[in-house]
Structures are given as C-alpha cells and as structure tokens.
Amino acid sequence: MTDERPHRRLADRSPTGSPGGGPHLPTAVDGEEGIAALTESNRQLKRKIFDLYTIFEISRNFNALLDYHTLLDTFLLTSLAQVGAERGAVYLQDSDTENRFVLTKKRGSGKFPELKHAFTTASPLADHLARLNRPELISDILQHITDPAEREIIENFNPGLIVPLMFQTNLTGMMILSDKVSSAEFTMGDVEFLSILGSQISVAIENSRLYEAETKATEQLRAAQQLLVDSERLAALGELSAKVAHEVNNPLGIIKNYMLLLKRSVADNPESLEYAEITSQEIDRIARIVKELLNFHRPKKETFRKTDLVQVIEETLTLLKTRYETQDIKVVTEMEPDLPTISASPENLKQVIMNIVMNACDIMPEGGTLTVQLKREDMWLVLSFSDTGPGIPDETVPRIFEPFYTTKEAGKGTGLGLSVCYGIVKQHDGAITYRNLPDGGSFVIRLPIPSTEDTDE
Ligand SMILES: Nc1ncnc2c1ncn2[C@@H]1O[C@H](COP(=O)(O)OP(=O)(O)OP(=O)(O)O)[C@@H](O)[C@H]1O
Ligand SMILES: [Mg+2]
C-alpha cells in the first residue's frame, strides 16, 4: 500500500532554516536585514523560553497527579494546545490487553479510529518507534506499517505526528496527533517539545500505575483483614451463644414439663388456663430462639447429599410466591444452564434462601425487584440475591450476621435470620457476604463444587 498524500517535512521555525530548530543568529548585523534577523532570533528565543517554562510547569503538575486518567487528559490537552493540533489520542498497553496498545484517551474534534482497532506490541511499527525514541511525522512512518488495523488508525491522523512513549528502553504506548488547525506544518520546536513532554509523561504514567496497583493491593489486604476479624468475631459470638443456649436449654425443658402439669391442674379454671397458655407460647418462643442460636454455632447435622441447587432455589421461591407477590415484589431468576450438583443439605440451604428472601420482602414494603442469580466461578457455585431496597449503612454491614442484630421493631424480628444463614453456609465450607449496590444491596453466597463434581455422600 502506498501513501498518496503529499509527503510532509518538518518546518524549521526560522525563515532561513537554522538546523535543529535553534535560534538563528545572524553573522553580521547590517542594516534592515540584520535588524529583522535579530528580531526573529529574539522571537525564537522567547518562544523557546516559553516552551521550557511550560514543560517545567507541566512536569511539576505531572508529578503531583496520581490519577491515571487525569494525567493522560492533561498530557493530551497540553500537547494539542501547545502545537495547535486538531485532535489527538493516546494508545497504551494495559493489564487487560496485554499485547496490544489500545485507545485509552482521545481529545479534540473530528472522527476518531474505532475502539476495536489497536496496535500490537510486537509489530514492525512498535519496533521502529522503540528504536527511534522520538516523535516522527506520520508520512515518514507509513512504510513501517503492515497491519491493516494499524494502518487504519494511523491514516485517521495523517498528516500528523506520532510520539512514542518510552519507559526505560520499553515502548509503553504512543500519542498520535493530527495536523494543525492552522494547516501549518509541524516545526522542529514542536518535535522537541513533544519529545520532552513524552518522556516526562511516560515516567508519570508508570508512577500513577504503580500507585494505583499499590492502592488496590492495600485495599484488598484491608478487606481480607476485615473478613478475618469479622469471622473471628462471629466465631467467638457463636461459641458464647452456644454456651448460653445449652445452659438455657436444660432448665427450659424442665419448665416445659412443669407447665404441662400446671395446665392439667388448672384445667377447670379458664382464667388460669389462659395465663398458662400464654406462658407456654412464650416458652416455645424462647425454645425457638435457643434452637436458632445453636444453629448459628453449629447447624443441625443433616446428611449431605448430591444436591441440585437450581431445584432448591425454585422450590423455595415457589413456597414464598404468595408472600412476595402480594407485596408487589418482582422476583427475577437468572441461572446458568448445566450447573454441576453439589454436596449439601437441601433443607438447610432452603432455610438460608428463605431467610434472605423474607428479609428482602421486609425491606421493600412498597414493592421492588429481587434478582436471584446462580452461576459458576471456577470451583464455586455463586448464588446472589440483589434487591432494590435501601441498602445497609456501610458502618453496620459488619454487624448484620451477628446474632440479635436487628433494625426491626420489637416483636417483628429477633435478628437471628442472617446468623443462622451464616452458620449454615459455613457448615457447607462456603462464604456469605453482603455489599451495597448503587440502588439496593446484594447477598452473595459461594458454595464449593466437589472436585469430582458428582460425589454422592
Ligand atoms: N436485604 C436487606 N436490605 C437491607 N437490610 C437488610 C437486608 N437483609 C437484612 N437486613 C438488615 O439486617 C438485619 C438482620 O437481619 P436478620 O435476618 O439477621 O434479622 P431480622 O430479619 O431483623 O430478624 P429475624 O430474621 O430473626 O426475624 C435486619 O434487621 C436488617 O436491618
Ligand atoms: Mg431476617
């Protein structure tokens, strides 16, 4: 493929063409010609000082800017403004697009290349730019481009300029500028300016990437530590609750038996019988709480068997259908096909699903949507329940799995539902977490897929 466009050259800034774009100094100051030359040389010196000052100011800003995108934006806008180009784009390699330089930032007016077009890091063009290590006119570079997608991008900016971005000896990306708004040619001064700016930005980009990676790693570490602290705290609470529950359980059994005897002895006194009845009901309530507390610590040992989670979800949702439909709650299910079975207690998992769906119903009294999703991620089945309710204040999220944590009014909730869910999921060697979404919240349960995938216990 040959380039039909007129082949451009770099224009010197001085009318007489001083090599390297440096100021042209007249050899003899003679008359009007000499004064004109001196004035031009003075103009060039001023421009150079201005360029250097701009570079100095920008470098200072670059070092202070740690946000990657703001950094690129500043770089591109400054380059466009300084050389007067119509539009420009920065192509960079990132962790998701390992062997390609992709369009990361664009600025200016006019049509830009499509996003899907990218440069490969091992192309002849990349090789050429890395060896060159300075800006080059597009017309001079076209011969090095063999790939049609790369050619498409470059043609989009022709006649323009390409600035390699180098970190140490590696090409980390490139900035491409289109021609000038004024249609004037690029000057050696422009090239010098962009060359210095390009090397400054390359270092700043690497710094901001390192900073971002470090921030992300710190955040992950903090989250992992929090998870550990949370699970330790819940384990300690479980231990304590179980001890209390055991202690309460024995006298409770005795009280229950005596209540039966008492009821029999007051059978002919309706008033006393009614009091005994109420006492009995309250004793049953205590017994339920005690049972759930024990479930939180160590859920009832059901036999684990080959379980189709899709079926468990569907059966539980059918049971709750009347409850959520009368409340104007739309339940949307999105389940991946052909999921493997897991080794589980379907009864206990049903209880988990029921607790979470009931909570969602309680939190959306005016109606809303509950999306139930089931998918596979490596060796896990990931089940999520996302509601369009008000979410949970960030500071209380770590407390929701604690026994007796409730925001419901007295008599409406004991705050044991999620603790029991937590205990059951742990019993399955899984994990349950909650996170707020932009418009609601989401409970995510991860359950392990057995390595043989069809174990029957
Ligand atoms: N989907 C949700 N959106 C917002 N908050 C929720 C949601 N699910 C639970 N919560 C909060 O977590 C608290 C604890 O829930 P949990 O199920 O453990 O107890 P409860 O529903 O209050 O009482 P119980 O389940 O024992 O009747 C709730 O009171 C509520 O504040
Ligand atoms: Mg509940």
Side-chain angles (χ1 to χ4, degrees), residues 1-28:
M1 218 195 260
T2 52
D3 181 41
E4 301 289 315
R5 290 167 217 246
H7 200 74
R8 290 212 175 191
R9 293 262 123 246
L10 286 175
D12 275 319
R13 262 190 197 133
S14 73
T16 47
S18 87
H24 170 75
L25 289 172
T27 43

Side-chain angles (χ1 to χ4, degrees), residues 292 355-356 358-364 370 385 387 389-393 399-408 412-421 434 436 440-443:
E292 292 199 332
N355 269 323
I356 292 178
M358 301 269 269
N359 278 351
C361 290
D362 290 344
I363 215 80
M364 300 190 286
L370 176 69
F385 298 85
D387 62 59
I392 299 173
R399 298 201 54 203
I400 56 174
F401 297 106
E402 284 175 14
F404 302 117
Y405 175 78
T406 181
T407 51
K408 291 171 190 167
K412 285 267 166 74
T414 40
L416 282 170
L418 286 176
S419 329
V420 172
C421 294
Y434 172 86
N436 281 314
S442 178
F443 282 93

Side-chain angles (χ1 to χ4, degrees), residues 262-438:
L262 204 62
K263 269 199 251 176
R264 218 175 290 155
S265 66
V266 295
D268 49 356
N269 182 340
E271 202 178 348
S272 302
L273 191 61
E274 194 194 335
Y275 296 153
E277 223 25 275
I278 293 171
T279 313
S280 256
Q281 281 166 14
E282 292 305 304
I283 289 170
D284 286 345
R285 207 155 80 92
I286 297 174
R288 263 200 314 277
I289 293 175
V290 166
K291 195 174 120 217
E292 292 199 332
L293 266 183
L294 285 170
N295 258 346
F296 163 54
H297 179 57
R298 200 160 289 138
K300 205 166 125 217
K301 186 77 191 146
E302 302 281 353
T303 34
F304 275 28
R305 50 189 186 279
K306 200 163 138 180
T307 303
D308 175 4
L309 195 52
V310 175
Q311 195 187 337
V312 177
I313 297 168
E314 278 168 354
E315 280 174 17
T316 320
L317 290 179
T318 309
L319 278 178
L320 295 168
K321 204 172 163 100
T322 328
R323 166 84 207 263
Y324 61 72
E325 278 187 352
T326 49
Q327 241 183 277
D328 242 357
I329 292 174
K330 198 168 151 223
V331 174
V332 181
T333 50
E334 294 168 4
M335 302 200 236
E336 257 176 34
D338 306 322
L339 290 170
T341 54
I342 53 170
S343 169
S345 151
E347 296 80 15
N348 284 357
L349 289 183
K350 223 174 242 183
Q351 202 183 335
V352 171
I353 299 168
M354 214 176 253
N355 269 323
I356 292 178
V357 177
M358 301 269 269
N359 278 351
C361 290
D362 290 344
I363 215 80
M364 300 190 286
E366 307 294 325
T369 307
L370 176 69
T371 309
V372 184
Q373 249 184 350
L374 180 64
K375 57 182 180 182
R376 179 183 185 151
E377 265 176 26
D378 299 325
M379 291 308 281
W380 298 89
L381 283 190
V382 182
L383 170 59
S384 65
F385 298 85
S386 312
D387 62 59
T388 53
I392 299 173
D394 285 339
E395 61 279 11
T396 43
V397 171
R399 298 201 54 203
I400 56 174
F401 297 106
E402 284 175 14
F404 302 117
Y405 175 78
T406 181
T407 51
K408 291 171 190 167
E409 55 188 85
K412 285 267 166 74
T414 40
L416 282 170
L418 286 176
S419 329
V420 172
C421 294
Y422 182 89
I424 294 175
V425 174
K426 279 258 151 203
Q427 177 196 39
H428 284 76
D429 291 326
I432 177 168
T433 49
Y434 172 86
R435 70 189 169 94
N436 281 314
L437 299 176

Side-chain angles (χ1 to χ4, degrees), residues 40-51:
E40 174 57 24
S41 142
N42 192 21
R43 195 186 65 79
Q44 283 181 42
L45 270 174
K46 277 188 184 160
R47 165 78 198 244
K48 205 150 194 119
I49 291 170
F50 178 73
D51 278 2

Side-chain angles (χ1 to χ4, degrees), residues 199-210:
S199 36
Q200 296 281 346
I201 187 81
S202 305
V203 177
I205 286 175
E206 285 313 307
N207 278 344
S208 78
R209 274 184 175 170
L210 276 176

